[in-house]
């Protein structure tokens, strides 16, 4: 499991009106324990595309990166971690507007 230590959120602009609903980009700074396979001394962050369409919300995409090198890691968050991220995004999505 991980701890979210910081974040930013921005509305993703859709100038052509292709997407239904709204999309938000979250950058979540995370801290993981040293014994976790995700652990990196440089630190990690998760880039999340969060979708809001009427009353439905979802994580459209997520990627995990090393902080200092911007290297994309070939890992997926586990279901319980995704639930934590979704709840966090749902709580903070209003800060982008």
């Amino acid at each position: 499991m991980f701890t979210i230590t910081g974040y930013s959120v921005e509305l993703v602009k859709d100038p052509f009106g292709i997407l239904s609903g709204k999309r938000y980009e979250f950058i979540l700074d995370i801290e993981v324990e040293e014994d976790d396979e995700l652990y990196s001394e440089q630190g990690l962050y998760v880039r999340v595309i969060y979708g809001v369409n009427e009353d439905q919300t979802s994580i459209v995409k997520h990627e995990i990166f090393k902080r200092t090198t911007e290297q994309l890691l070939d890992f997926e968050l586990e279901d319980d971690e995704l639930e934590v991220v979704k709840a966090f995004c749902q709580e903070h999505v209003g800060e982008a507007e």
Side-chain angles (χ1 to χ4, degrees):
M1 197 61 158
F2 59 84
T3 304
I4 298 172
T5 59
Y7 71 97
S8 65
V9 58
E10 291 183 19
L11 176 66
V12 176
K13 295 184 184 354
D14 180 20
F16 301 107
I18 296 171
L19 302 172
S20 62
K22 294 183 179 181
R23 300 287 189 274
Y24 299 87
E25 179 184 55
F26 280 83
I27 303 296
L28 306 176
D29 296 320
I30 62 170
E31 188 175 289
V32 298
E33 295 181 13
E34 286 187 38
D35 61 349
D36 192 304
E37 65 183 340
L38 272 178
Y39 179 77
S40 169
E41 286 184 20
Q42 296 90 13
L44 300 169
Y45 70 91
V46 181
R47 178 178 174 262
V48 179
I49 302 299
Y50 183 72
V52 177
N53 192 3
E54 296 177 16
D55 292 339
Q56 296 182 342
T57 61
S58 64
I59 294 175
V60 177
K61 180 179 182 180
H62 73 280
E63 301 167 313
I64 305 170
F65 292 89
K66 284 188 178 181
R67 166 100 7 237
T68 55
T69 62
E70 302 292 319
Q71 177 187 1
L72 175 63
L73 300 178
D74 190 23
F75 285 98
E76 294 289 322
L77 295 176
E78 295 177 7
D79 290 343
D80 59 335
E81 294 170 330
L82 284 172
E83 288 302 317
V84 168
V85 169
K86 184 176 180 183
F88 184 89
C89 292
Q90 200 165 16
E91 182 179 337
H92 295 280
V93 72
E95 298 171 19
E97 296 184 42

